[in-house]
């Protein structure tokens, strides 16, 4: 079982080491052939508009969309959450997404109040320290979407089938529970 980290922009290295810390074989994905070699994909935090444009440049947009449609597990943090959303508010005019999760996210939603902040969120019933950087929130989600965490009365982590997304950055803290959850989802799917 091998997990790819989309390595076009953003905190790629942090996701690679978080995945390695929970025992996963994690590799960078920058080409379609590298995507073919992984069982799951992490889409890192960074800048969703930039990652979207680079997905087109690197001829990865359609291949990633297809893998997600075909059931490949994926985990997006922050910009990655925006990319996995079916609908985006406050995007740029040319905002490009992958989609997959039946949700509407608002880009830079908390950012209008404060750019970067930290908070403990209840994740699976246990407190988890979460770092938010110009984070989106989930404004609306469909019936098939399970809410995993809220902060400031907003939905900040969700799961739909084999897709998970967090508005915060689990790759930037030492707490590996979100990565561990993702790896266990990938293992389940593989068996
Ligand atoms: N605001 C960024 C975006 O729109 C996301 C920020 C982040 O990933 N830290 O993509």
């Amino acid at each position: 079982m091998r997990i790819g980290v989309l390595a076009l922009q953003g905190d790629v290295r942090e996701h690679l080491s978080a995945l390695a810390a929970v025992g996963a074989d994690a590799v960078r994905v920058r080409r379609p052939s590298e995507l073919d070699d992984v069982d799951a994909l992490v889409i890192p935090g960074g800048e969703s508009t930039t990652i979207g444009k680079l997905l087109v440049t690197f001829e990865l947009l359609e291949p990633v969309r297809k893998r997600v449609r075909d059931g490949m597990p994926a985990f997006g943090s922050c910009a990655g959450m925006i990319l996995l959303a079916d609908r985006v508010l406050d995007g740029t005019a040319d905002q490009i997404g992958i989609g997959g999760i039946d949700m509407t996210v608002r880009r830079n939603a908390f950012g209008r109040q404060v750019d970067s902040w930290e908070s403990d969120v209840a994740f699976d019933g246990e407190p988890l320290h979460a770092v938010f950087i110009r984070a989106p929130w989930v404004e609306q989600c469909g019936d098939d979407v399970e809410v995993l965490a809220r902060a400031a009365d907003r939905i900040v982590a969700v799961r739909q089938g084999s897709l998970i997304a967090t508005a915060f950055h689990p790759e930037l803290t030492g707490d590996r529970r979100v990565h561990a959850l993702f790896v266990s989802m990938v293992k389940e799917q593989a068996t």
Side-chain angles (χ1 to χ4, degrees):
M1 184 202 70
R2 179 174 290 167
I3 300 184
V5 177
L6 185 67
L8 302 177
Q9 191 262 338
D11 40 17
V12 175
R13 212 177 328 133
E14 291 82 353
H15 273 294
L16 288 169
S17 51
L19 289 165
V22 294
D25 174 15
V27 295
R28 287 182 166 78
V29 167
R30 203 173 288 163
R31 300 163 197 277
S33 60
E34 292 165 342
L35 179 68
D36 293 342
D37 285 344
V38 297
D39 303 294
L41 189 68
V42 170
I43 303 159
E47 177 53 54
S48 59
T49 53
T50 306
I51 297 174
K53 282 179 193 149
L54 291 172
L55 278 167
V56 175
T57 308
F58 283 73
E59 296 178 347
L60 273 167
L61 181 65
E62 286 312 323
V64 172
R65 279 183 176 159
K66 181 171 185 324
R67 288 292 305 273
V68 168
R69 266 199 314 271
D70 291 348
M72 173 186 67
F75 162 34
S77 64
C78 201
M81 170 184 254
I82 298 168
L83 283 153
L84 285 176
D86 281 347
R87 297 168 296 279
V88 177
L89 299 173
D90 292 342
T92 56
D94 56 353
Q95 183 97 25
I96 294 164
I98 297 162
I101 301 182
D102 178 14
M103 63 177 172
T104 305
V105 300
R106 188 174 289 280
R107 238 179 113 232
N108 301 336
F110 296 105
R112 273 189 239 105
Q113 297 143 38
V114 52
D115 266 1
S116 167
W117 55 289
E118 302 187 13
S119 164
D120 279 350
V121 300
F123 185 82
D124 236 3
E126 298 281 329
L128 178 128
H129 191 66
V131 174
F132 295 83
I133 304 166
R134 292 184 67 71
W137 66 44
V138 179
E139 197 134 318
Q140 175 275 336
C141 56
D143 293 340
D144 293 339
V145 179
E146 181 191 350
V147 174
L148 297 178
R150 289 175 199 266
D153 286 335
R154 295 289 177 175
I155 298 168
V156 292
V158 294
R159 173 177 183 171
Q160 181 177 1
S162 53
L163 304 176
I164 57 175
T166 61
F168 51 91
H169 293 268
E171 69 278 17
L172 298 183
T173 57
D175 194 319
R176 300 294 175 228
R177 275 177 289 159
V178 180
H179 289 85
L181 167 69
F182 184 59
V183 170
S184 72
M185 281 166 52
V186 179
K187 281 186 182 151
E188 246 167 61
Q189 181 130 336
T191 53

